[in-house]
């Protein structure tokens, strides 16, 4: 293919290049994909309201997340089993993210070890955590992340069961036999396999703790000093509870539309969550971010930063580390352009009045 110039170019290449088992796993949403579509369409319904005649000769895209500086507010979300996209997998991603000066979140279900990913890059890293029925497994993962220098734990709270993903059921999805979930041993490492239905659904049903309640947060605080982000909150009620339990950050997420179909797009519920926490913890967003303007819209509506998942996988499929670097550079360039053309010379200049819904213009 010719040199990609936008994120959809990487997506189109990945669809042609990746094996069906991998492409379907990465790309599919739950059930009929209503929320998968809405994650994108909701961004498209938002309109930018640029200001003009402002000095934007110098633009500073930097910000902080949980006190750590990043060069621009577009970070990398946790995506599982990255070696299905490229042999270097999460190690390639870590190198590219570190060079870009932003944050990588490593999936619990990575095909590279926590230690190898840490050794590949000294850049900012968070660790995404599922809480297992066997608390010793959970603690072991936390200790590995602590020793490796990860700065926060992003706990996925929307997966007591795995959402029904038709493509994975049809494919009887399983991890390719030459790969393992690298941070586990025994059946945990090789258990994503099936002769019927989705192997990942069976894995989650057998190992993930579906009885988890808010009371797990004090327990988690008791076993780690790392900051805690809850990933998967979609309403103000749960956001207020997160604040009551002293959470450091909320990642507004519908799991890439892979869990419960027909839930809202994340950008739609972001304002109510930002309002509910009232500055008492940081708020981030993932889901459907494909352009620098999407990141701008999320920041205007109160997000501290956004996280991207699938585009990183598409970059990996294109050229490994170099492909991820190109994806991140496109996001960075587009975000800078959005700032400049809306009259913002720093992220602090991005304000809610710079975004409105398309219906506001249809009434004119």
């Amino acid at each position: 293919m010719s040199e990609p110039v936008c994120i959809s170019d990487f997506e189109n290449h990945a669809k042609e290049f990746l094996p069906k088992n991998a492409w379907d796993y990465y790309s599919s949403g739950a059930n009929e994909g209503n929320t998968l579509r809405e994650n994108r369409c909701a961004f498209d319904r938002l309109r930018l309201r640029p200001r003009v005649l402002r000095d934007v000769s110098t633009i500073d895209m930097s910000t902080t997340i949980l006190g750590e500086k990043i060069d621009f507010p577009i970070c990398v979300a946790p995506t599982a089993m990255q070696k299905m996209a490229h042999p270097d997998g999460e190690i390639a991603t870590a190198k590219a993210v570190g060079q870009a000066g932003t944050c990588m979140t490593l999936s619990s279900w990575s095909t590279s070890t926590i230690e190898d990913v840490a050794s590949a890059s000294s850049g900012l890293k968070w660790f995404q955590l599922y809480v297992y029925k066997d608390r010793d497994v959970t603690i072991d993962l936390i200790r590995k992340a602590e020793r490796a220098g990860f700065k926060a734990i992003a706990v996925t709270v929307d997966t007591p069961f795995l959402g029904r993903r038709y493509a994975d059921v049809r494919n009887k999805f399983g991890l390719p036999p030459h790969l393992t979930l690298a941070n586990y041993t025994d059946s945990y490492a090789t258990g994503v396999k099936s002769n019927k239905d989705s192997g990942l659904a069976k894995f989650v049903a057998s190992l993930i703790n579906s009885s988890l309640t808010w009371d797990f947060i004090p327990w988690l605080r008791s076993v780690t000093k790392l900051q805690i982000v809850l990933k998967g909150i979609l309403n103000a009620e749960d956001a207020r509870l997160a604040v009551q339990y002293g959470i450091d950050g909320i990642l507004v997420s519908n799991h890439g539309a892979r869990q419960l179909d027909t839930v809202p797009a994340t950008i739609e519920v972001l304002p109510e969550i930002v309002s509910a926490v009232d500055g008492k913890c940081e708020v981030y967003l993932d889901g459907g971010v494909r352009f620098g303007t999407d990141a701008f819209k999320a920041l205007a509506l109160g997000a501290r930063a956004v996280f991207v998942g699938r585009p990183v996988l598409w970059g990996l499929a294109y050229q490994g580390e170099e492909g991820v670097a190109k994806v991140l550079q496109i996001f960075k360039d587009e975000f800078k352009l959005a700032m400049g053309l809306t009259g913002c010379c720093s992220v602090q200049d991005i304000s809610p009045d710079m975004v409105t819904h398309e219906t506001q213009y249809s009434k004119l």
Side-chain angles (χ1 to χ4, degrees):
M1 64 179 286
S2 58
E3 184 73 12
V5 299
C6 59
I7 301 304
S8 61
D9 286 346
F10 290 94
E11 179 182 12
N12 292 335
H13 172 267
K15 186 174 183 178
E16 295 296 321
F17 173 80
L18 288 172
K20 180 176 174 54
N21 183 63
W23 167 256
D24 284 352
Y25 172 72
Y26 290 148
S27 65
S28 62
N31 294 73
E32 295 293 336
N34 293 286
T35 299
L36 186 67
R37 291 186 291 274
E38 275 299 295
N39 271 352
R40 272 294 334 135
C41 293
F43 275 112
D44 292 341
R45 289 191 292 268
L46 295 175
R47 299 289 182 259
L48 295 175
R49 300 181 67 249
R51 300 298 303 274
V52 298
L53 295 178
R54 292 182 169 187
D55 182 358
V56 288
S57 56
T58 301
I59 295 176
D60 180 7
M61 294 181 285
S62 68
T63 188
T64 60
I65 53 173
L66 299 181
E68 300 283 342
K69 184 177 179 181
I70 52 176
D71 289 350
F72 62 114
I74 302 173
C75 306
V76 171
T79 52
M81 311 177 204
Q82 292 186 13
K83 286 188 178 181
M84 291 198 304
H86 188 275
D88 295 337
E90 296 84 1
I91 291 172
T93 300
K95 290 178 178 178
V97 175
Q99 286 295 317
T102 187
C103 176
M104 174 187 180
T105 313
L106 180 67
S107 170
S108 281
W109 298 340
S110 64
T111 41
S112 306
T113 67
I114 293 170
E115 294 82 1
D116 286 346
V117 171
S119 297
S121 167
S122 60
L124 178 62
K125 287 178 283 291
W126 293 358
F127 182 70
Q128 176 268 330
L129 179 72
Y130 290 102
V131 179
Y132 292 84
K133 295 175 182 177
D134 185 342
R135 288 288 175 95
D136 288 341
V137 173
T138 306
I139 292 173
D140 180 62
L141 290 170
I142 293 169
R143 295 289 175 261
K144 288 178 178 179
E146 289 172 336
R147 289 193 296 268
F150 285 66
K151 296 297 184 180
I153 299 290
V155 187
T156 294
V157 293
D158 62 4
T159 313
F161 310 101
L162 198 73
R164 188 159 178 81
R165 306 165 192 173
Y166 294 156
D168 288 348
V169 175
R170 294 185 182 107
N171 293 337
K172 300 179 178 61
F173 174 79
L175 189 63
H178 67 287
L179 299 176
T180 63
L181 300 183
N183 294 305
Y184 304 93
T185 58
D186 305 326
S187 61
Y188 281 72
T190 58
V192 184
K193 55 187 177 183
S194 179
N195 294 318
K196 182 181 179 182
D197 210 315
S198 163
L200 191 59
K202 290 176 59 180
F203 179 86
V204 169
S206 64
L207 300 175
I208 299 298
N209 185 353
S210 61
S211 68
L212 214 59
T213 68
W214 288 94
D215 291 336
F216 97 94
I217 295 173
W219 172 82
L220 187 59
R221 288 283 189 205
S222 74
V223 299
T224 185
K225 300 298 183 185
L226 294 180
Q227 296 187 84
I228 299 172
V229 174
L230 294 190
K231 177 183 180 293
I233 287 180
L234 286 174
N235 57 62
E237 296 89 339
D238 283 342
R240 283 190 284 267
L241 278 169
V243 168
Q244 290 176 27
Y245 277 85
I247 288 301
D248 301 295
I250 289 171
L251 179 48
V252 180
S253 174
N254 54 34
H255 211 112
R258 294 159 69 77
Q259 280 298 96
L260 181 63
D261 201 15
T262 73
V263 300
T266 51
I267 194 68
E268 291 179 318
V269 298
L270 175 64
E272 74 170 83
I273 292 172
V274 169
S275 176
V277 305
D278 194 26
K280 296 181 177 68
C281 74
E282 295 186 354
V283 179
Y284 323 103
L285 174 141
D286 70 18
V289 177
R290 299 293 181 268
F291 300 95
T293 48
D294 297 337
F296 185 95
K297 292 170 182 177
L299 265 67
L301 295 178
R304 187 82 178 181
V306 300
F307 287 72
V308 297
R310 290 182 177 96
V312 170
L313 297 170
W314 302 334
L316 270 176
Y318 178 65
Q319 273 180 342
E321 178 187 345
E322 187 176 345
V324 177
K326 289 179 178 179
V327 163
L328 293 175
Q329 189 62 51
I330 287 173
F331 273 122
K332 192 173 187 178
D333 291 344
E334 290 183 350
F335 182 71
K336 184 176 182 179
L337 186 62
M339 287 183 62
L341 293 180
T342 52
C344 299
C345 62
S346 74
V347 294
Q348 289 74 31
D349 295 331
I350 302 172
S351 58
D353 62 353
M354 291 178 167
V355 173
T356 192
H357 196 275
E358 66 178 4
T359 54
Q360 294 299 112
Y361 288 103
S362 66
K363 295 175 183 177
L364 297 178

